[in-house]
């Protein structure tokens, strides 16, 4: 326990150091440094506040114990009752600190890059990919996040064969990280004349939008094409060669960006994504060589892992990783995802506390 409190003292000290630094003129004038320190401060705030609460309770416990030594019986009874209440409060605060001190993924505070693809089921898989995109867009809107479209390949029958976008907002990646995997839908397609239920899938991949990725990419390893945008995009669609597709030849990774208002914007976005995805591949390789098991506590995050079923006839959503079933499919598809995301986050915390 002493090690835990030493860590808490260090966090409190660092929190105060950041406060002092953010008042220094040379820091205030540096937007990038201010943003970096602000992000670090935000990651410490809740833990430091709860630790301060713990220390106040311990001080009150000490005072109550002194009152137990008083000659006045009424004061002693009052101190005893207060001590019992404070001990309960102490246990609650210690439980909070235990959760807050769980080692966090440093990328949890990042924006999220989400990529949805229609998979099994042909047209119905693509239509379902469109439904998932709408679900995430509505949830993002409800919590004040912003979406920046990167690529959209509309399918002929509706929905998307591929849609990718950046979700910008507080802990966007931390909240959405467990959405990666294969999402399965069970429903009667509009084209089904016999009324039979079909099963189709769409895959979701969620990665953090990393800043300042330290990886060098040889320009000779890139194949860059410009082409006309397709689908959404306003007056520029099919009129200018504003879309940019970049292929990283050694890995075969391809990125296409078309939602920017200029070729220059799309090229910058595509280059950023290429760097990020090459970095991901590079890190996976290193971790594999070192024998590090790279997975979330409640799932691998692989596209192939079936994580959730959306059953329309029964208005049911089931998350197979944590045994969660909700008869609220209609609400969830309208973006009411909070209960699902909270349950996944709680299950992940519980698994970490248990050391799983």
């Amino acid at each position: 326990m002493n090690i835990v409190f030493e860590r808490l003292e260090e966090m409190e000290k660092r929190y105060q150091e950041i406060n002092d630094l953010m008042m220094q003129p040379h820091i205030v004038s540096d937007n990038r440094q201010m943003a970096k320190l602000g992000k670090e401060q935000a990651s410490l705030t809740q833990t430091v506040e709860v630790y301060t609460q713990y220390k106040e309770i311990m001080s009150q416990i000490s005072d109550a114990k002194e009152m137990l030594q008083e000659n006045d019986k009424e004061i002693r009874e009052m101190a005893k009752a207060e001590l019992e209440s404070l001990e309960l409060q102490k246990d609650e605060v210690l439980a909070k600190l235990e959760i807050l001190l769980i080692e966090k993924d440093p990328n949890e505070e990042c924006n999220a890059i989400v990529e949805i693809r229609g998979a099994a089921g042909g047209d119905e898989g693509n239509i379902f990919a469109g439904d998932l995109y709408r679900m995430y867009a509505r949830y993002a809107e409800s919590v004040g996040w912003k979406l920046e479209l990167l690529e959209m390949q509309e399918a002929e029958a509706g929905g998307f064969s591929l849609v990718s976008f950046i979700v910008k907002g507080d802990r966007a990646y931390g909240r959405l990280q467990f959405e990666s995997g294969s999402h399965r839908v069970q429903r009667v397609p509009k084209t089904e004349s016999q009324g039979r239920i079909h099963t189709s899938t769409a895959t979701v991949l969620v990665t953090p939008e990393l800043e300042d990725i330290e990886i060098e990419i040889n320009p000779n390893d890139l194949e860059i094409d410009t082409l006309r945008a397709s689908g959404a995009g306003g007056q520029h669609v099919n009129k200018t060669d504003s879309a940019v597709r970049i292929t990283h030849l050694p890995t075969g990774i391809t990125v296409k960006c078309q939602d920017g208002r200029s070729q220059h914007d799309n090229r910058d976005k595509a280059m950023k994504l290429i760097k990020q995805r090459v970095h991901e591949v590079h890190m996976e390789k290193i971790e594999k060589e070192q024998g590090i098991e790279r997975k979330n506590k409640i799932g691998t995050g692989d596209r192939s892992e079936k994580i959730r079923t959306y059953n329309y006839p029964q208005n049911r959503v089931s998350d197979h990783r944590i045994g969660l079933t909700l008869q609220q499919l209609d609400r969830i598809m309208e973006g009411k995802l909070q209960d699902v995301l909270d349950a996944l986050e709680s299950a992940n915390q519980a698994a970490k506390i248990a050391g799983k």
Side-chain angles (χ1 to χ4, degrees):
M1 191 60 83
N2 286 339
I3 294 173
V4 171
F5 288 114
E6 282 175 16
R7 186 176 166 201
L8 286 165
E9 287 291 333
E10 286 172 6
M11 291 172 80
E12 186 177 54
K13 183 181 176 183
R14 177 57 183 164
Y15 183 82
Q16 188 55 55
E17 283 176 359
I18 292 170
N19 283 342
D20 294 341
L21 284 169
M22 291 179 77
M23 296 177 68
Q24 299 296 321
H26 70 284
I27 298 290
V28 174
S29 60
D30 187 337
N31 291 336
R32 190 169 179 177
Q33 189 69 5
M34 280 292 286
K36 185 178 178 182
L37 287 171
K39 193 173 178 180
E40 186 183 354
Q41 184 187 56
S43 71
L44 293 170
T45 299
Q46 190 178 4
T47 306
V48 170
E49 286 177 351
V50 175
Y51 181 46
T52 299
Q53 185 183 353
Y54 169 80
K55 291 199 291 187
E56 287 173 357
I57 290 170
M58 291 306 293
S59 175
Q60 291 170 24
I61 286 174
S62 178
D63 292 342
K65 284 180 176 178
E66 284 186 16
M67 289 170 64
L68 284 174
Q69 309 304 315
E70 293 287 336
N71 294 325
D72 191 314
K73 183 180 178 182
E74 189 175 331
I75 291 177
R76 290 200 307 271
E77 289 295 324
M78 191 169 63
K80 185 180 177 183
E82 186 178 356
L83 195 58
E84 288 175 359
S85 172
L86 288 168
E87 288 290 347
L88 287 173
Q89 291 178 48
K90 183 184 81 170
D91 290 343
E92 288 174 6
V93 170
L94 280 173
K96 281 185 187 177
L97 284 172
E98 185 179 43
I99 291 171
L100 288 169
L101 285 172
I102 294 170
E103 191 171 345
K104 294 178 183 176
D105 181 345
N107 296 326
E108 281 195 8
E109 303 296 328
C110 293
N111 296 328
I113 298 175
V114 182
E115 182 184 285
I116 307 171
R117 293 178 182 269
D123 290 341
E124 183 63 14
N126 292 335
I127 291 168
F128 183 48
D131 294 338
L132 290 176
Y133 170 68
R134 181 171 173 268
M135 177 184 76
Y136 291 126
R138 293 209 163 188
Y139 174 71
E141 184 181 7
S142 73
V143 295
W145 292 344
K146 301 215 180 291
L147 257 64
E148 181 181 317
L149 191 64
L150 295 172
E151 184 176 3
M152 180 184 281
Q153 294 176 14
E154 293 179 308
E156 203 171 308
F160 308 103
S161 58
L162 164 67
V163 59
S164 64
F165 50 95
I166 300 176
V167 184
K168 297 184 175 182
D170 182 40
R171 287 194 74 248
Y173 176 69
R175 297 296 280 154
L176 294 176
Q177 61 181 313
F178 305 120
E179 292 303 290
S180 287
S182 179
H183 295 238
R184 180 172 62 179
V185 62
Q186 295 173 329
R187 62 186 174 190
V188 179
K190 293 176 183 176
T191 55
E192 172 55 63
S193 58
Q194 303 293 322
R196 290 173 300 189
I197 295 172
H198 284 223
T199 298
S200 307
T201 62
T203 61
V204 176
L205 180 65
V206 183
T207 55
E209 183 191 27
L210 302 175
E211 299 292 336
D212 303 324
I213 296 173
E214 295 180 6
I215 187 167
E216 291 295 326
I217 293 182
N218 187 338
N220 295 326
D221 288 340
L222 299 177
E223 185 178 272
I224 302 174
D225 300 307
T226 56
L227 50 157
R228 292 192 175 184
S230 60
Q235 62 182 341
H236 289 269
V237 173
N238 295 326
K239 292 183 180 178
T240 60
D241 292 337
S242 59
V244 174
R245 182 175 61 213
I246 300 179
T247 302
H248 183 249
L249 299 174
T251 60
I253 294 170
T254 298
V255 169
K256 177 187 170 189
C257 291
Q258 65 175 38
D259 197 52
R261 284 296 181 178
S262 69
Q263 189 183 118
H264 180 75
D265 287 345
N266 286 324
R267 186 186 176 104
D268 284 348
K269 285 182 184 177
M271 276 301 301
K272 184 174 183 179
L273 279 176
I274 279 287
K275 283 186 74 173
Q276 170 140 338
R277 291 183 184 172
V278 171
H279 174 73
E280 281 283 311
V281 170
H282 179 66
M283 292 306 296
E284 284 177 7
K285 184 180 176 183
I286 290 174
E287 289 167 353
K288 189 175 181 181
E289 288 172 353
Q290 294 177 350
I292 298 171
E293 191 176 10
R294 191 175 200 240
K295 68 174 187 176
N296 295 321
K297 292 294 181 184
I298 58 171
T300 63
D302 291 339
R303 286 185 194 276
S304 60
E305 182 188 15
K306 288 185 177 63
I307 64 167
R308 195 174 298 149
T309 294
Y310 303 72
N311 185 295
Y312 275 73
Q314 297 178 24
N315 193 38
R316 186 187 75 230
V317 173
S318 300
D319 195 289
H320 308 300
R321 298 163 295 179
I322 58 174
L324 175 72
T325 296
L326 299 171
Q327 304 292 147
Q328 301 175 14
L329 174 64
D330 50 350
R331 293 182 69 255
I332 287 167
M333 295 312 292
E334 288 299 316
K336 306 294 194 300
L337 272 172
Q338 200 66 53
D339 289 346
V340 177
L341 299 180
D342 285 346
L344 287 164
E345 200 158 10
S346 294
N348 189 54
Q349 285 184 343
K352 284 182 175 178
I353 290 171
K356 294 180 182 176

